[in-house]
Amino acid sequence: MKRGSRRRWSRLGLRGRITSSFALLALGLSALLSILVWLVVSNYLTAQRETTAVRQAQVNVVGLERSLQNRPEQVPEILGDLPHDASTTILLFRSGRWYSTALVSSPDRLPAELIDLVRGGTAATQRLIVDGEPVLAVGEPMDGGAYFELFPLTELDQALRAMSVALPAGAVVTTLLGAGLGRTAARQALAPLTAFNRVAGAIARGDRSARLDSGGDPDLADLARSFNETASALQRRLEADARFTADVAHELRTPVTTMLNSLELLADHRDQMPAGAHEPLDLLTVDLHRFQHMVKDLLEMSRAEDRTDNLVPEPTRIGELVSRAADRAAGRTVTFVSPGAEQVELEVDRRRIVQVIANLVHNAEIHGGGLVRVAVEPYAAGVRIFVDDAGPGVPDDRRERIFERFARATGEPTDGAGLGLAIVARHVRLHHGRVWVEDRPGGGARFVVELTGTSP
C-alpha cells in the first residue's frame, strides 16, 4: 500500500477500518460467489434446455420417419401431428422441397452453414435471433432430407436476466450486512478502549477516583490493573503535592502577615527615614504584596486540589455578579452586560466566579498591556464572558499551557507566580464550563469564559 493510500486509510480511524474491512470482505466474497453461481447456474440451465430440445427433435424425427413410410404424400399433415409447442417451429427439407408448421417461416431464417451441415448427415444446434427473439435451432439428418426445429429461448433468457439482477443486488445487501456486522464487531472490540478513554478523561477532568473495570475479561485484566495502579500512584502523588503546597502556604502566611505589619509600621515613619531608603521601601512593599498574593493563590489551589473547599452553587444573576467583580478589580467601570444577558440566572459558586473575574482582570492589567473591556453575552443556556486586553496577544502554541500552574504566556519574565490563570481554569471546570484565549479583534488577547451553571 502506498504512503498516500496508507495515510487515507488511517484517517478512517480504528472503528472505520474494522467496518470497512468487514464490508470489503463481504463484497469480495459475495462477488466471487455471485460469479460462481452465475457460471454454474447459467451453464446448467442452458445445457438442460439444449438437451431437452435435442431429445424432443430426435423423438420427432423418429415419429416423422415412421409416418412418412405409411403416408409419404401427406407431409404437411404429418408435421402438424408431431408433438410440439405452439411457439415451436418445425422445418423439413425433403425431396428438394421445404415444409413448415408456420405460415411465415422459411429456410432463409436458418444459416446456410447449419443447413449444409445437417444435410451432409451431421446433427447440429445453433442459437439464433429470429424476429428479435432468441431461439435454439436443432437440426437432425434424415433419409432423403433434413429436419429442423426452432425452440424459443425467451423464458431462459428472462431467467438469466433476472438472475443477473438478483446476484448483484444480493452482493450489495451482503456488503451492507457485512458493514453492519463490522460495525457491531468494532463496537464490541473497542468497548474496552471506549471505557479507557472515558476513565482517562474523567481523571484528566479531576476525578481522581475514576478507575478502569476489566469487566471480567482476562485479556483486559493486566491492562486494567496497570492503569489503575498508575492512577492510584498519580492520585497519591497529587495529594502529597497538595498537602505540601498547603503546608507551605500555611507556614508562610504567618511570617508574611508579620512582615506586612512591620512594613506598615515603616511606612508610617517614612518621613523619618533617610531619602535613600525610600526606594528600597517601595520595592519591598510591591514584592511583599505580590508574595502575599502568591500565598493566597497557593492556599486556593491546595484547597481545590485537596477537595476541602466544596462548590457552593447559588441562583445568581451572572451579569450583575460579573459587573461588580470586574469593576471592583479594575477600580473603574469596565463591564458591558448585553441586554440579553441581564436576566440570565445561573447556579454558580459566587466566590469562585468573583475570583475568576478578578484574576482575569488582574492578568489583563499586569500582563496584557491593560484591560480594555469586560463583556457578558448570552450564549445557549448560559453566558459567555469576554475579558479583552491591549497586549500583544498569546501565541497559538501557548494558548493551552498558560492555564497550567506557573506557566507564562511568553518566554519573557513576568510578574506573579503563574497561578492566577490556573485557578481560573480550575474554578471554571468545576462549573462544567470552558475557558480559552483567542485573538481580540483589533489586536490583543481575549479570554473567554463559557458558563452554563451547575445543577442545584
Side-chain angles (χ1 to χ4, degrees):
M1 185 181 293
K2 295 182 179 180
R3 180 177 300 178
S5 300
R6 188 181 297 112
R7 187 179 296 111
R8 287 192 296 270
W9 176 253
S10 63
R11 288 175 182 172
L12 292 175
L14 185 56
R15 190 187 304 273
R17 293 198 296 272
I18 294 176
T19 303
S20 299
S21 298
F22 270 82
L24 292 175
L25 179 61
L27 176 61
L29 291 177
S30 59
L32 178 61
L33 183 60
S34 297
I35 293 173
L36 292 176
V37 169
W38 169 262
L39 293 176
V40 172
V41 174
S42 62
N43 289 337
Y44 174 78
L45 292 177
T46 301
Q48 283 292 103
R49 187 69 177 106
E50 290 183 358
T51 300
T52 301
V54 170
R55 288 178 180 176
Q56 179 64 40
Q58 290 174 346
V59 170
N60 286 345
V61 167
V62 173
L64 178 61
E65 288 179 338
R66 289 177 181 175
S67 299
L68 289 175
Q69 290 177 359
N70 298 327
R71 296 178 295 166
E73 303 300 331
Q74 301 180 3
V75 176
E77 291 80 0
I78 294 173
L79 290 179
D81 292 338
L82 292 176
H84 64 282
D85 297 332
S87 58
T88 301
T89 301
I90 298 177
L91 294 171
L92 177 64
F93 180 77
R94 179 180 173 81
S95 301
R97 183 180 175 184
W98 285 93
Y99 300 90
S100 174
T101 58
L103 296 177
V104 296
S105 294
S106 67
D108 295 338
R109 298 173 182 267
L110 299 176
E113 295 83 359
L114 178 62
I115 296 174
D116 293 340
L117 186 62
V118 176
R119 290 181 62 185
T122 302
T125 61
Q126 185 174 346
R127 290 175 63 100
L128 307 173
I129 300 296
V130 177
D131 296 333
E133 297 293 335
V135 298
L136 177 65
V138 180
E140 293 288 338
M142 294 180 57
D143 292 337
Y147 175 89
F148 298 91
E149 189 165 354
L150 304 180
F151 296 89
L153 298 178
T154 304
E155 293 183 359
L156 175 63
D157 276 12
Q158 289 176 348
L160 295 179
R161 194 176 298 112
M163 188 169 64
S164 68
V165 174
L167 290 177
V172 172
V173 172
T174 302
T175 302
L176 294 177
L177 291 176
L181 179 61
R183 189 72 176 177
T184 302
R187 187 181 301 111
Q188 295 294 329
L190 298 180
L193 183 59
T194 302
F196 181 87
N197 289 335
R198 184 173 60 253
V199 173
I203 292 177
R205 290 189 297 271
D207 184 4
R208 303 174 192 165
S209 64
R211 295 294 182 269
L212 185 62
D213 183 11
S214 65
D217 190 336
D219 296 328
L220 299 176
D222 291 340
L223 174 62
R225 182 170 57 256
S226 299
F227 178 85
N228 292 337
E229 289 176 355
T230 302
S232 297
L234 177 62
Q235 180 179 8
R236 290 192 296 270
R237 175 62 181 272
L238 291 176
E239 290 174 351
D241 289 347
R243 286 194 298 271
F244 175 76
T245 302
D247 292 343
V248 170
H250 280 292
E251 291 296 328
L252 289 175
R253 186 165 56 177
T254 299
V256 167
T257 302
T258 301
M259 287 187 290
L260 284 173
N261 291 334
S262 300
L263 189 63
E264 290 179 1
L265 181 61
L266 290 174
D268 291 340
H269 296 81
R270 181 185 181 92
D271 295 338
Q272 303 176 14
M273 298 175 62
H278 291 175
E279 183 177 357
L281 179 63
D282 294 338
L283 292 175
L284 180 62
T285 302
V286 172
D287 286 339
L288 193 55
H289 280 92
R290 186 184 305 129
F291 189 52
Q292 181 189 34
H293 183 70
M294 182 192 71
V295 171
K296 291 181 179 179
D297 284 347
L298 284 173
L299 285 172
E300 184 69 28
M301 288 296 297
S302 66
R303 285 196 297 266
E305 294 293 338
D306 203 32
R307 305 292 181 87
T308 58
D309 191 10
N310 295 325
L311 198 68
V312 184
E314 301 176 79
T316 304
R317 286 193 176 180
I318 196 69
E320 294 180 4
L321 181 66
V322 171
S323 180
R324 289 197 303 268
D327 294 349
R328 184 169 60 250
R332 63 188 188 279
T333 301
V334 295
T335 309
F336 168 76
V337 180
S338 170
E342 290 179 351
Q343 303 301 320
V344 175
E345 189 172 280
L346 300 177
E347 292 273 348
V348 298
D349 187 318
R350 296 178 183 176
R351 183 188 67 80
R352 293 180 188 271
I353 297 302
V354 167
Q355 187 167 20
V356 165
I357 301 304
N359 285 5
L360 289 176
V361 170
H362 175 78
N363 180 77
E365 293 281 60
I366 302 301
H367 310 304
L371 178 67
V372 175
R373 189 183 73 153
V374 177
V376 183
E377 301 283 349
Y379 176 80
V383 297
R384 277 183 174 176
I385 303 167
F386 303 94
V387 180
D388 296 345
D389 64 39
V394 181
D396 292 342
D397 59 344
R398 292 185 175 272
R399 291 185 178 182
E400 292 185 6
R401 292 187 57 191
I402 60 172
F403 293 103
E404 299 174 0
R405 288 181 292 180
F406 305 106
R408 294 288 187 269
T410 66
E412 300 177 357
T414 59
D415 294 337
L419 291 174
L421 294 181
I423 294 174
V424 168
R426 179 71 182 180
H427 287 349
V428 172
R429 188 163 56 244
L430 287 175
H431 285 83
H432 307 289
R434 296 193 303 142
V435 59
W436 67 92
V437 61
E438 59 188 32
D439 292 328
R440 179 177 70 89
R446 166 174 286 177
F447 285 81
V448 185
V449 177
E450 183 178 291
L451 293 175
T452 56
T454 62
S455 300

